[in-house]
Amino acid sequence: MNVLEVVNLRKYFPIRKGLLRRIAGQVRAVDGVSFHIKKGETLALVGESGCGKTTVSRCILRALPPSEGEIRFAVDGKVVDLAKLPKRALRPYRRHIQMVFQDPFSSLNPRMVIADIIGEPLLINGMRSGEERRKRVKELLDMVQLPAAYMNRFPHAFSGGQRQRVGIARALALHPSLIVADEPVSALDVSVQAQILNLLLDLQDRLGLTYLFVAHDLSVVKHVSDRVAVMYVGRMVEIAGTADIFARPRHPYTEALLSAVPKPDPRLKSERIILERDVADPANPPPGCHFHPRCRYAVERCKVDTPALQEVEPNRWVSCHRAHELMLRGVQ
Amino acid sequence: MPPTLMAERAAAPAAGTPILSVRGLKTYFRADDGVVRAVDGVSFDVRAGRTLGIVGESGCGKSITARSILGIVDRPGKIEAGEVWLTPGGGTGAPIDLAKLASDSAEMRAIRGKEIALVFQEPMSSFSHYYTVGNQIMEAIRLHSDATKQQAHARAVELLRLVGVPKPERRVDEYPFQLSGGLRQRVMIAMALACDPHVLIADEPTTALDVTTQAQILDLMRELQAKRALALILITHDMGVIAEMADDVVVMYLGRVVERGPVDAIFHDPKHPYTQALLRSIPSIMATPRTKLATISGSIPHPLNRPTGCPFHPRCPDFKPGVCDKAEPATTVIDDRREVACFLYGGGA
Amino acid sequence: MIARLFGRTSRADSASAEERFAVASQLQLTWWRFRRHKLALASGVIVILFYLVAAFADFLAVNDPQDTDSRRSFAPPQVISLFDDDGSFRPYVTVIRARRDPRTFRMVFDQSSKVYLTMFTPGYNYTLFGLFETNIHLLGLKDPQPGDGLYLLGTDRLGRDLWSRMMVATRVSLTIGLAGVIISLFLGILLGGISAIYGGVVDMAIQRTIEIIRSMPTIPLWMGLAAALPSDWSVMQIYFAITVIIALLAWTDLARVVRGKFLSLREEDFVTAAELAGAGQLRIIFRHMLPSFLSHIIAATSLALPAMIISETSLSFLGLGLRPPAISWGILLQDAQNIEALALAPWLLMAAVPVIVIILAFNFLGDGLRDAADPYG
Ligand SMILES: Nc1ncnc2c1ncn2[C@@H]1O[C@H](COP(=O)(O)OP(=O)(O)OP(=O)(O)O)[C@@H](O)[C@H]1O
Ligand SMILES: Nc1ncnc2c1ncn2[C@@H]1O[C@H](COP(=O)(O)OP(=O)(O)OP(=O)(O)O)[C@@H](O)[C@H]1O
Ligand code: SF4
Ligand code: SF4
Ligand SMILES: [Mg+2]
Ligand SMILES: [Mg+2]
């Protein structure tokens, strides 16, 4: 069963110029992205900085209004299109999609104690009794392995890893059916990253959670995700199961991305594919396949025709004209 | 001024010649509320044409080590003890102890940029926003040579070309904010290379970049090192980058070097419990999907709340009560290139 | 951080200190941080003292500040001697009794004589806080002869007591500042908030207005506005008009602070988190955003106040603001405007001292508050 189906999602930001702030162009931050997430799985959304990962997740959460497309969300046995709902009608669905943030410092209100931070969603959604709330907060703290005695502390007394646990507890408070985690470990120290990743895996096993895990670190992604979706300049280039995509990428960009990741073993000094030039500018992307100026397999057709995302084999979507003929290199 | 940069260095020192030796370096920050021992007894050697990797988690003193070498520690930080021996001219001159030089002395200023250059951790804050990249590179060149404006300009263009900036004739007149992150980092490196230094310290040169851009920059640094016989100190918290780049590795924790050795030994036969735990806890692209990682319990203590004895003892799986929390383990030499600071390997006084 | 806030702690109490630190609210943390700014702390005390003076101005005054007497024109400050000749603690001043020689019409100074000081003595009538009619003053002379007076800081050309005038001037100048700040705070928060919440055309209109106001040179603008005040207005009316003029020019800074904070807070993850939890606009504004920039507003206010005070002082000094018989620091300084007066009575310059002190104090206080309020600064 799919918890979420995103169909042809677009989000354009206007570029304003001059004194009168006239619209001079558009940043095509998300330019026709489709994917789905099954119940109980982790879909990782990866790609380079600025490719639109955060914009996709913010549209799903409706922290940003999408410009176009559908966000079909399965809730209480029916499917609603979150993209079309006006803000007010959105309220009852908010609680079902929660978020874990990247920055453990700005994601907790420094003026509230932990009990209030975790309890706020409960309070807003109708749990009036303070006693009941405290009980649930205790439970949640226990889930994220923090002592219940920390309830009356303010966020400033916590380390980055502990704050991230508090953020996870808050996200879990309302039993959401989807958790969007935008780079939840990239601001943490290496030794703390592992703790949080393990916690996320644990919670998923125990509570049957569904994650959209946004990340740029492919090593982290390999540890947590069931499937991986790779974005490049606002478009989806490849979606596949984790083991498949790492072992045998089908899109040249995925191949380059994988080969660029440093392997933590000095004996494996593998050949790296060095991409020439910079990532394309989403305000002014190249025609045809966005990746063609950097692609070493590009042919004439790539410069004019935009490849569509196609299912090249079961559960494997690739948008490349040459997906069927290329044999690309993965890791191991 | 060297004639051209594209060629190999004419009188390049033989790879492996020791250029910089740091011994027992201690840099402390003393304030009303206590002493931060940012660097607490750090020793290592840097050789021509080789890369020394300094690795450790946030706050372990990597940047302050680099800044101490160059004598640019911000107040109230001060080098309290130790020696920093530099053999100038790529191993040909008479050794100088940089720790003894005043930070604003003429000798020190002559060394900065000319002998040892630094690529800073925050690329944006190390540029001026008001000058073009060309102007900033030219200033660095003219500081250490008597090149004319035209010569310096030509050299700046050449440097930009060397570090792979496309259309350097045009880019030279652009401002730093007009450049992408990757280009900015290339320009930083060009600036550091302006005076043809023998030692290059790169402080997290790729942390802010994407993997694909990181691959470009690391590649560039390797190429430059081969051409110029650069002695490279690469500071990072990314074990993958260390594995790909370093010849020798220094692992730091709370200002101390816990382990030092050749890269292969560090990754395949780590001795110190911290190194072992760190290696187990890093996510690897080679792992089987959806596997748990080993973790290190707890988190890094606040520098003002430094544990007694071995600074790692509250998190150490091999902690020996009554020993590890009583005294700091001394450095044990395992063989001529390996050292470890832990009571499991001696470490008694 | 912990050690930083609590000073040096031994290992034994560091655990309890940590607990105290952990459950300390943002306000407490701000206070702990503020406490470490000795200069700001001292400035805070000075500001409080000044406002106490403002509240009890008439009580602290010794003579009726409007009472003129040409016989004691430009009388120099008196020195209080604390101990009597026999060594006992009995403060007194030496008064000089002057009379006009009936033949030459010149002032002749008689032998000076001791007059003892006393506290809580009756003097001129006033109403405390506009409520209680009383005539008790802090200091006074014990059994004065007619013509004797206590002139702690000397007198001006018309023989008015500078000390008493300064007390009253403090009240006027500080309350004008305060009233001005309250008005501009109101305008600033309202317009800044509207600008940030609605955005678009409204925001643009408000921002352009702010830019226009800020780009106008202040002195000519004041001159124009002040000159437009009818000359037959009462002291009270002028007072209010001046307050409003000052406030109208000063709100722009606050509006910018508020708008900027609002916009940056709206991007904060914890605000997004509250939105995702289903919190309404009002809850987000009052529970999450307002508390976060309250401290910034307080700091901005304490930096805006001295600007107000300076504005009033300079306006009045230039003769564009309050006019005699009103008394304010600007008016007192106006009296010290000409060389002759200064040569004869340098003590009139004393009127500048409180202005300088309070301006510095407000600035140090504001800086301290700003530093302390920034949780991760
Ligand atoms: N509010 C906005 N106004 C204009 N452009 C925006 C806005 N938000 C994002 N963008 C642009 O949209 C593009 C996608 O941004 P987004 O934050 O989604 O990228 P990302 O993949 O999350 O990157 P990162 O890895 O750096 O977080 C970028 O080019 C960015 O500059
Ligand atoms: N100006 C300063 N005053 C006081 N302490 C300082 C100062 N600068 C650095 N420190 C302390 O020195 C220690 C080492 O800092 P350093 O910047 O070298 O860490 P790092 O290893 O480079 O970390 P990162 O990976 O975050 O860059 C830290 O604990 C830091 O708090
Ligand atoms: S469509 Fe062409 S340019 Fe794009 S990835 Fe495939 S081969 Fe490369
Ligand atoms: S000295 Fe003791 S506590 Fe420190 S690393 Fe070695 S075994 Fe662990
Ligand atoms: Mg992002
Ligand atoms: Mg650093």
Side-chain angles (χ1 to χ4, degrees), chain C residues 243-270:
Chain C
T243 313
V244 171
I245 289 177
I246 292 173
L248 281 180
L249 297 180
W251 64 272
T252 56
D253 270 333
L254 273 160
R256 291 212 149 174
V257 170
V258 169
R259 177 175 177 272
K261 265 322 246 187
F262 227 97
L263 288 180
S264 73
L265 275 172
R266 210 164 53 177
E267 296 301 311
E268 289 279 337
D269 289 344
F270 67 81

Side-chain angles (χ1 to χ4, degrees), chain C residues 26-43:
Chain C
Q26 210 56 38
L27 198 69
Q28 262 166 311
L29 283 182
T30 307
W31 165 238
W32 285 339
R33 269 189 301 258
F34 180 71
R35 211 165 51 174
R36 303 178 349 127
H37 284 264
K38 296 287 177 259
L39 195 58
L41 205 59
S43 301

Side-chain angles (χ1 to χ4, degrees), chain C residues 327-365:
Chain C
I327 309 171
S328 77
W329 285 339
I331 297 211
L332 292 188
L333 283 172
Q334 213 181 4
D335 291 341
Q337 226 174 20
N338 61 68
I339 303 280
E340 183 210 352
L342 279 186
L344 280 174
W347 54 85
L348 290 181
L349 268 186
M350 286 297 287
V353 173
V355 185
I356 295 168
V357 171
I358 192 78
I359 300 296
L360 285 178
F362 265 125
N363 276 306
F364 291 137
L365 177 69

